[in-house]
Amino acid sequence: MRAAVLDAWVASPARFREDANAEEDFALGGYRDRLIVELAQNAADAALRAGVPGRLRLVLKDGVLTAANTGAPLDAPGVEGLATLRVSAKRDEKGAAGRFGVGFAAVVSVCDAPLIASRATGAVRWSREETTALVSGLPALAAALRERAGHVPMLRLPFAAPPVEIPEGFDTIVRLPLRDKTAEESVRRMLDETDAALPLGMPSLGVIEIEIDGAVRTVTADNWKVVSASGEFTPEQVAELFADRPTEERARPHWLVRWAVPVAGNGEPRPLPAGVPPVVHAPTPSDEPLDLPVLLIATLPMATDRRHAATGPLRAFLVERAAEAYLELLTELPRTPALLSLVPGLMGKAELDAEIRRAILRRLPDTPLLPALSAPAEPTEAAPAGPDAFELLNAPEKAVRREETDGWWRPFDGAVAGRRAASVAGSAELLDLVAPVVPGLLPADWPTRHPALTTLGVKRVELAEVIEMLSGDAVESRDPAWWRSLYDVLPADDPEAIGALPVPLADGRLVRGPRGTLVMKEGSALDPAVLAPLGLRVVHPGAAHPLLLRLGAAEATPRTVLDDPLTRAAVSESLESGDADPVAQAVLALVDAAGLTAGEAPWLGDLALRSTAGDLYPAAELLLAGGTLAGLVEEDTPFGVAAPDLVERYGPRVLAAAGVLDGFAVANDTDVLLDPDECDHGLDREEEWLEAVLDTLPDLSVPPVAPEFSAIRDLEYVADWPTALTLLTRPPLRAALHPLRLVAGGETVEVPSYTAWWLSTHPVLGGRTPTGLRVPGGDPLLFGLYGEAPAGLDPAALALIGVRTTLADLLAQRGGPEELLDLMGDPDLEVDRAQLRSLWMALAGVDPSRVEPPGSVRAVLHGEIVVADAETGDPGPVVVEAPDLLPHVADRPLILSPFDLAEALSELLDLPLAGEVVTGEVTSTGTRRDVPPAVRSLLPTAPATYMAHDPLLVDGAPATWRFYDGTVHCSDIDGLARGLAWACGQWGDRLAVAALLRDPDAVPLLLAEADLDSLNA
């Protein structure tokens, strides 16, 4: 063989270079770091050929690696395969790990003198040194050898070897003296990294023993779950799938796919051991990453570098077979949450990994992998539904009958596909209870938000959806105790999800949602039979649970039952019902048990009760015979009288609490919108009151709101007002008289309450309206204008209903100034002069915008008090603003008040000032004279001079004085005194100045009197 090879090289030096290059490429490229794998592969194939258990022992000692294995010995074809490249002697061996005929080239990377010996056939060796010597002696190869720096294709020239001792129990040994320390460290690393992936990829190799410097460890494929699939290609498949593959690959028309995953003692998958690289094995490790915690061993077509899978139809075929086998692996593992770790994600690490993932993911959602508490949503091909209600799961021998017991399905025993499974978060107890209505429901120990569930197509069913699914015959037939057990395990901290929870009622109905139901406590005094006519939704005692109260149910106390909307509806409809008595009995029993008082529940006034005549009346339109209100109202009223048997059975207190009128009924309300379309309590003239209130307020974009509203009803039927007012002005009814507080425009304002307004506008005080009267002993300024209110009621109560108290209060009220002016303009009423002056003084402080000028005014004419026409009087009244004009308007009705208020009154009354109707021009000629010095003792600011006239003419008419254009004009001493006092603003000192002018010697006395006045002030 050596001679033939050497001759071939001499004949074609290019062949020499080609062999050398190929050996170098495989040793340093595709098969670098593959030494242990290739030795194991050869051992596995030897065991396969011999049909014996494969065993490999690897020993690293003193710089030498030996590999002893069991199985068929090395024969001549085997030596030929080792000494050639890409010509495998195993091409016809089905299941052989070696396929390409180049693996032994891996020894070249660490050894220059490999040797193989078999017990039965002898030994063969190779030598880089000897091969180099032979090549060096051939002149035809000298140039090629120089170009390659002495590198020769060592494995092409085998040499005979002397017999070698083979360890007991082994058939063949490979001996590799390692080239140097670097090679030894490389081998040591490869031995350390050897793990279960090797025997898993080579099933015929059962055990690998590794000894390094005396330390021994054993590598096996125990505790791994393995699923394999294999087959042979038909000629048609070979022609189709191998069209782009080398010729010798076609001679191996069989394929293999194997998946392996580490498992725990219970069979659940575990992560790959730390030393097992996550790569595809083909069947030896490649550089193709696989992002799954499993091993894939497959006869994939490999590229020339033997590290990556070649693309093409053969690879696509094997990817599909790998996906099928992977699903088989998953189905044979325990159905526990650990299975989710084997569900691929959506992204792969490389192209091949992505192809495998896509192929798996296409099949995964339809593969029955998951355990379920109930049958899937629809039958599958693996689990058809037949008329006998059988469901075949995965295989006919796993068929499980689904039986019905008491209207409920027993647990479903089988697997479901992901797209027909459902996941619900909750306890195991909860899921067991709801499983029958959630098809394909996973057990509670399965995570509900694991991303793998989405990949599998599992539908996440929220708790609210589960609650919605609790319907139909199956759940409606469940007894109350079952519902209570469900309430026990529902999460009370998620009221939104379980708000529509079905609730069984005592009357046999099943309603959705606890809100509006009533839970009756054990030992309750309420009689369900008596309450039946109300149509209440009372929870069945066997299902009563605190959860229902947290979800909106109410505890069935007399008050909560009364407040129930169904009770209110029964009350409001009682007049139209065919038989109102049962509803009345139920409601009156509740009123009695609740201890209600009159007015506490005004809506009870709609309850239909029988009168003494046997007719039905709303309770609010019935009187208690002998009651307080019955003695106050007129005989001809729309009220009926409560039937005696009702009074006897329930008593006046219960009937009054139900709305039957003993005393005055009170309408109470909250957050009342004072809008004509909204505010309606059935009160007499309520719209008029509302209009009067709104008139007192400025224009608002939003109607005002009364947070608390209280009003006395039926005032229009009262005949005995003295007695009625005594009741109305005492607590508790008196509260309805107090002003109503409103929130208007963001501010709080007070307006007359409805009751106070109604009383103020009706003749309830001795036949007169309260606003036309004053309180006894009230403000003297109101005497003569207002009559005195009858005695017997306290002033504060009278004030609340409109009786006048003081002039100031009257003027502060809306419309009060106009009312006072109207009364002052009434000639039938008496007002004295001092009172009139005080009234004008008070009115001068009123804003004119609040008053419409009166048609008649109270004035003084020639010293008499008269009522003058303010609009058409001739001459009309004037407001006097200066005393020197009085003589010139003496024939007109005069509005007299302190001069500094004249302009305000003129504007308020829309009347002219005196100075506006007369000119007041001095038309005579006077003589300027000095003011006597003595006057300054009383008038320090008096002018220095004045004009003396004889006579003084003003507008051509005689006058005693005039202060005109800043000068005092006078015709006598009295006129001078008045003019000086007016000019100084000391009008009150005019008489003293006159006395001083007449008798200057009296000055000391006048000054002393002035001092006394000051002291007394």
Side-chain angles (χ1 to χ4, degrees):
M1 180 177 179
R2 285 199 306 273
V5 172
L6 290 172
D7 290 343
W9 287 350
V10 170
S12 177
R15 176 66 181 274
F16 170 78
R17 288 165 47 210
E18 180 181 354
D19 287 348
N21 287 338
E23 181 177 292
E24 190 174 34
D25 285 345
F26 288 126
L28 303 180
Y31 283 83
R32 72 181 186 282
D33 298 335
R34 299 288 296 274
L35 174 64
I36 305 303
V37 173
E38 295 302 330
L39 293 174
Q41 178 178 286
N42 289 335
D45 290 344
L48 179 66
R49 288 197 301 273
V52 299
R55 183 180 171 207
L56 172 66
R57 183 170 187 179
L58 299 165
V59 178
L60 176 62
K61 184 177 180 182
D62 298 331
V64 177
L65 173 67
T66 59
N69 65 268
T70 59
L74 179 68
D75 54 13
V79 173
E80 182 182 0
L82 296 177
T84 58
L85 291 175
R86 307 188 67 154
V87 180
S88 175
K90 309 171 187 176
R91 64 183 181 179
D92 296 325
E93 294 180 12
K94 181 178 181 179
R99 295 187 286 160
F100 307 110
V102 295
F104 192 67
V107 303
V108 176
S109 65
V110 296
C111 178
D112 294 332
L115 177 147
I116 302 178
S118 289
R119 193 182 300 277
T121 58
V124 64
R125 66 184 182 84
W126 292 264
S127 171
R128 185 179 301 280
E129 182 181 354
E130 294 180 41
T131 299
T132 300
L134 289 173
V135 172
S136 299
L138 300 173
L141 300 179
L145 189 62
R146 284 194 303 272
E147 291 176 358
R148 298 196 56 78
H151 179 76
V152 295
M154 176 183 69
L155 296 181
R156 295 287 280 120
L157 298 181
F159 296 90
V164 176
E165 182 180 355
I166 298 175
E168 187 67 28
F170 295 92
D171 300 308
T172 300
I173 188 171
V174 177
R175 186 176 184 279
L176 302 176
L178 301 178
R179 182 177 299 120
D180 50 28
K181 285 296 183 180
T182 300
E184 182 177 350
E185 289 304 316
S186 176
V187 170
R188 186 183 301 274
R189 176 181 54 77
M190 286 186 278
L191 289 173
D192 288 339
E193 292 175 353
T194 300
D195 50 45
L198 273 181
L200 284 170
M202 307 168 192
S204 56
L205 182 60
V207 178
I208 300 175
E209 298 172 359
I210 299 175
E211 180 180 342
I212 302 177
D213 299 331
V216 180
R217 69 183 177 95
T218 301
V219 178
T220 65
D222 296 337
N223 300 322
W224 287 70
K225 175 66 179 177
V226 180
V227 168
S228 299
S230 61
E232 293 192 10
F233 296 110
T234 65
E236 293 78 11
Q237 287 177 314
V238 171
E240 176 185 354
L241 302 179
F242 286 79
D244 60 345
R245 301 306 302 160
T247 300
E248 290 208 4
E249 282 193 48
R250 304 180 191 181
R252 299 170 59 90
H254 46 266
W255 59 271
L256 170 70
V257 170
R258 178 178 296 121
W259 291 96
V261 62
V263 294
N266 61 358
E268 288 187 346
R270 296 186 305 169
L272 286 175
V276 177
V279 296
V280 175
H281 292 63
T284 54
S286 71
D287 284 350
E288 293 284 1
L290 183 67
D291 194 19
L292 284 170
V294 291
L295 286 180
L296 170 60
I297 301 103
T299 54
L300 287 163
M302 300 302 289
T304 55
D305 63 359
R306 306 302 175 213
R307 289 183 175 272
H308 293 89
T311 59
L314 179 58
R315 166 167 147 173
F317 173 85
L318 290 172
V319 165
E320 296 299 320
R321 304 292 79 75
E324 293 169 354
Y326 190 76
L327 296 182
E328 182 181 351
L329 170 68
L330 296 185
T331 59
E332 293 187 8
L333 291 171
R335 298 185 196 116
T336 69
L339 198 63
L340 298 177
S341 65
L342 302 183
V343 175
L346 298 179
M347 302 297 292
K349 283 191 171 182
E351 183 178 354
L352 177 60
D353 185 27
E355 291 176 12
I356 295 171
R357 284 168 177 273
R358 286 195 294 269
I360 294 173
L361 293 175
R362 282 199 308 272
R363 297 168 169 82
L364 203 53
D366 292 312
T367 303
L369 297 174
L370 305 174
L373 299 173
S374 57
E378 54 186 272
T380 67
E381 183 179 351
D388 56 357
F390 270 87
E391 297 203 10
L392 304 181
L393 307 174
N394 302 323
E397 63 270 15
K398 294 183 180 179
V400 177
R401 182 179 296 276
R402 192 173 65 176
E403 301 181 11
E404 190 177 4
T405 305
D406 298 332
W408 205 249
W409 295 113
R410 290 178 180 172
F412 175 77
D413 183 17
V416 296
R419 73 170 73 253
R420 295 181 177 87
S423 172
V424 175
S427 65
E429 295 80 4
L430 172 61
L431 299 194
D432 286 342
L433 287 171
V434 303
V437 297
V438 183
L441 179 61
L442 298 182
D445 59 343
W446 282 69
T448 58
R449 297 190 181 275
H450 198 292
L453 294 181
T454 303
T455 305
L456 289 167
V458 177
K459 177 185 178 183
R460 176 172 171 81
V461 181
E462 299 298 335
L463 184 57
E465 298 176 80
V466 175
I467 297 302
E468 287 295 326
M469 298 165 73
L470 291 174
S471 61
D473 295 339
V475 293
E476 289 180 358
S477 63
R478 301 305 295 167
D479 60 45
W482 182 88
W483 287 102
R484 181 178 177 87
S485 66
L486 176 63
Y487 304 154
D488 269 333
V489 296
L490 285 172
D493 58 350
D494 193 1
E496 290 188 10
I498 61 178
L501 186 66
V503 181
L505 302 183
D507 59 11
R509 291 180 293 162
L510 185 68
V511 298
R512 188 163 286 281
R515 190 170 298 280
T517 63
L518 296 167
V519 179
M520 194 170 292
K521 292 180 64 176
E522 186 176 352
S524 172
L526 297 176
D527 186 349
V530 174
L531 302 180
L534 301 179
L536 299 169
R537 304 203 309 171
V538 178
V539 177
H540 193 289
H545 192 279
L547 175 66
L548 301 180
L549 297 174
R550 289 195 289 272
L551 293 178
E555 184 180 330
T557 65
R559 285 184 178 266
T560 58
V561 175
L562 272 175
D563 289 335
D564 191 278
L566 292 174
T567 301
R568 293 197 175 206
V571 169
S572 66
E573 298 168 3
S574 58
L575 274 177
E576 286 76 29
S577 64
D579 186 6
D581 289 342
V583 173
Q585 293 173 12
V587 172
L588 291 175
L590 289 170
V591 171
D592 188 13
L596 258 62
T597 58
E600 195 171 348
W603 57 271
L604 287 172
D606 292 331
L607 179 65
L609 298 176
R610 297 202 177 273
S611 70
T612 54
D615 299 322
L616 287 176
Y617 280 80
E621 296 180 15
L622 281 177
L623 299 173
L624 279 173
T628 301
L629 189 59
L632 296 176
V633 298
E634 303 167 350
E635 292 184 3
D636 185 16
T637 66
F639 297 116
V641 178
D645 61 315
L646 287 176
V647 180
E648 181 179 352
R649 181 173 180 179
Y650 297 104
R653 182 191 66 80
V654 173
L655 293 178
V660 177
L661 300 174
D662 181 3
F664 283 105
V666 181
N668 292 311
D669 202 352
T670 58
D671 296 327
V672 177
L673 188 67
L674 267 65
D675 183 278
D677 296 329
E678 300 288 340
C679 186
D680 184 6
H681 300 87
L683 302 169
D684 181 48
R685 299 175 61 198
E686 185 174 4
E687 291 184 1
E688 294 181 43
W689 165 77
L690 182 59
E691 183 178 354
V693 167
L694 295 178
D695 283 345
T696 66
L697 302 174
D699 291 337
L700 301 170
S701 59
V702 178
V705 174
E708 301 289 339
F709 178 87
S710 181
I712 308 297
R713 294 183 178 277
D714 308 318
L715 295 173
E716 66 270 29
Y717 301 116
V718 173
D720 183 358
W721 276 112
T723 304
L725 287 175
T726 300
L727 295 174
L728 293 172
T729 56
R730 293 177 182 172
L733 299 180
R734 182 168 177 153
L737 300 178
H738 288 286
L740 181 68
R741 291 188 177 181
L742 301 181
V743 178
E747 298 181 356
T748 300
V749 297
E750 290 188 348
V751 298
S753 68
Y754 163 80
T755 306
W757 173 86
W758 194 97
L759 293 173
S760 71
T761 58
H762 287 77
V764 299
L765 289 173
R768 298 183 64 179
T769 58
T771 54
L773 301 173
R774 58 177 173 78
V775 296
D779 192 336
L781 294 177
L782 300 181
F783 281 27
L785 300 175
Y786 293 90
E788 188 170 300
L793 297 175
D794 67 273
L798 292 173
L800 288 174
I801 64 174
V803 177
R804 304 313 185 186
T805 54
T806 66
L807 176 61
D809 289 342
L810 174 64
L811 295 179
Q813 293 179 6
R814 181 181 177 84
E818 288 188 345
E819 179 181 308
L820 178 60
L821 288 170
D822 289 342
L823 292 174
M824 292 171 64
D826 185 349
D828 294 331
L829 300 179
E830 294 185 4
V831 177
D832 63 36
R833 188 156 182 162
Q835 181 182 6
L836 179 60
R837 183 175 185 272
S838 297
L839 292 175
W840 287 132
M841 291 171 61
L843 283 166
V846 175
D847 186 345
S849 64
R850 296 179 54 202
V851 175
E852 185 73 23
S856 300
V857 295
R858 185 82 58 157
V860 176
L861 180 62
H862 304 308
E864 300 292 333
I865 295 177
V866 298
V867 174
D869 189 333
E871 297 176 346
T872 61
D874 186 18
V878 296
V879 180
V880 180
E881 77 277 23
D884 54 350
L885 295 178
L886 278 173
H888 308 288
V889 292
D891 292 334
R892 287 175 172 268
L894 305 178
I895 306 299
L896 300 174
S897 69
F899 298 122
D900 54 354
L901 303 178
E903 288 190 10
L905 284 174
S906 173
E907 185 178 359
L908 179 76
L909 302 175
D910 194 22
L911 292 176
L913 293 168
E916 296 173 347
V917 298
V918 296
T919 304
E921 181 180 359
V922 176
T923 57
S924 60
T925 302
T927 302
R928 184 170 300 277
R929 296 180 181 176
D930 292 332
V931 174
V935 173
R936 297 190 181 281
S937 61
L938 289 177
L939 303 177
T941 61
T945 63
Y946 68 96
M947 298 297 292
H949 293 258
D950 186 19
L952 172 63
L953 299 177
V954 177
D955 289 340
T960 59
W961 71 281
R962 176 83 169 106
F963 183 64
Y964 185 70
D965 288 342
T967 301
V968 175
H969 300 264
C970 63
S971 61
D972 56 21
I973 291 179
D974 289 333
L976 177 60
R978 283 172 169 78
L980 293 175
W982 181 253
C984 293
Q986 293 182 236
W987 180 246
D989 293 329
R990 62 190 180 279
L991 297 180
V993 174
L996 181 147
L997 291 173
R998 286 190 176 91
D999 184 6
D1001 294 337
V1003 170
L1005 178 61
L1006 292 174
L1007 291 176
E1009 289 177 351
D1011 290 339
L1012 289 176
D1013 288 341
S1014 298
L1015 290 173
N1016 290 333

